[in-house]
Amino acid sequence: MSPMARGAAAAAQAGDPRFAPSYSFLEAALCVRLPVGTLRVWALGRSYPTASGEKRTPPMFEIADREERLLSFVNLIEAHVLRGLRTKHEFTMQHVKKALRELGRFQPPDHPLAFEDILTDGADLFVERFGRLINLNRAGQIAMRETLIAHLKRIDRAGIHGPVRFFPFIRSEDVEGSKTVSISPTVSFGRPVIAGTRITTAEIAGRVNAGDMVEKVAEDFDVTTQQVTDAILFEQQESIA
């Protein structure tokens, strides 16, 4: 077992809050800027008819509580990285696992998309080999690399211990946007907050939706008007579900 695999297993056994079932599909979809339907398929798999009978697509990752349909912080990271890999291309989890193995690792951890630090361990190599697996041409690989790097740079990691904080996109289509909002399992119970504070984006949006002026809310919370605006934009994108 690799060091990261051991770290992931030990963290889970120790009751690491990153593995706790904390997010409904609706909440998780908002955080990772995905339609709820897409996230459900990735997390639960789906059945589909074929000429030879019904077949089933396996889930892309194992969620924290399948029975209660709850995801963990680690699951958010996995979905976020998958979003960066997917772009406009079709792939399977087997493609992802094979590409990770081809980076030279003997055994991927239980949650490779969250615990394999592709950004520092060879994004170019990963994209090249991943692209080859799904028959991407060079132009497609370049586009994938740019999108993937943009996603990976929004994850704070603690060495072999894996992800500890995540900066979701403010707007789902803006992969180079600001890091105003952050999510950490140890801050405000894992809810999206203004980065560097414990002020949730939902609280800010609620104040403005109730009729308070942006400037007044910014003054009350001692944040900038841009932070307030970003929090509102982030929460408004719940319509993506």
Side-chain angles (χ1 to χ4, degrees):
M1 184 178 291
S2 70
M4 285 192 179
R6 288 193 297 270
Q13 293 173 3
D16 191 317
R18 294 176 299 175
F19 292 86
S22 305
Y23 305 91
S24 67
F25 274 102
L26 184 62
E27 292 169 330
L30 172 65
C31 292
V32 297
R33 322 317 264 169
L34 282 170
V36 172
T38 298
L39 185 58
R40 284 185 184 276
V41 170
W42 287 2
L44 302 175
R46 69 180 177 88
S47 299
Y48 60 95
T50 70
S52 59
E54 187 175 86
K55 292 189 176 181
R56 183 165 183 79
T57 300
M60 307 293 259
F61 50 85
E62 188 66 30
I63 64 173
D65 190 331
R66 190 177 180 88
E67 183 176 344
E68 296 295 330
R69 299 293 194 263
L70 292 174
L71 292 81
S72 67
F73 174 77
V74 165
N75 293 147
L76 294 189
I77 299 298
E78 291 172 306
H80 174 73
V81 174
L82 279 173
R83 183 185 188 274
L85 284 170
R86 186 186 68 166
T87 58
K88 298 180 180 180
H89 310 290
E90 294 296 328
F91 60 90
T92 69
M93 191 57 178
Q94 291 306 312
H95 288 143
V96 177
K97 289 181 178 179
K98 185 174 180 180
L100 287 170
R101 285 197 299 269
E102 289 193 14
L103 285 175
R105 306 189 186 284
F106 294 102
Q107 177 65 45
D110 292 338
H111 297 272
L113 290 166
F115 285 89
E116 293 287 357
D117 192 353
I118 303 168
L119 181 61
T120 60
D121 285 346
D124 288 329
L125 179 61
F126 181 88
V127 170
E128 178 187 349
R129 295 183 177 180
F130 186 89
R132 191 183 307 143
L133 288 172
I134 56 178
N135 299 318
L136 273 183
N137 59 30
R138 181 62 179 168
Q141 290 183 32
I142 292 173
M144 174 181 280
R145 181 187 184 280
E146 291 175 350
T147 304
L148 176 59
I149 292 296
H151 279 69
L152 295 176
K153 284 184 175 180
R154 303 186 79 87
I155 302 171
D156 271 359
R157 297 180 182 274
I160 64 171
H161 300 294
V164 295
R165 185 169 59 161
F166 160 52
F167 298 93
F169 298 116
I170 304 301
R171 302 171 181 81
S172 60
E173 71 282 358
D174 184 10
V175 296
E176 294 292 345
S178 66
K179 295 181 178 180
T180 307
V181 177
S182 69
I183 298 172
S184 169
T186 60
V187 176
S188 296
F189 303 99
R191 300 305 104 186
V193 299
I194 296 297
T197 77
R198 293 181 176 271
I199 306 166
T200 66
T201 55
E203 186 175 5
I204 287 179
R207 284 280 303 274
V208 175
N209 290 339
D212 286 351
M213 298 293 293
V214 168
E215 293 78 9
K216 174 61 176 174
V217 174
E219 180 181 350
D220 287 349
F221 285 111
D222 193 24
V223 296
T224 68
T225 55
Q226 184 61 58
Q227 287 173 309
V228 172
T229 300
D230 283 351
I232 295 168
L233 288 173
F234 176 80
E235 287 290 329
Q236 284 177 343
Q237 298 234 359
E238 187 170 356
S239 60
I240 191 174

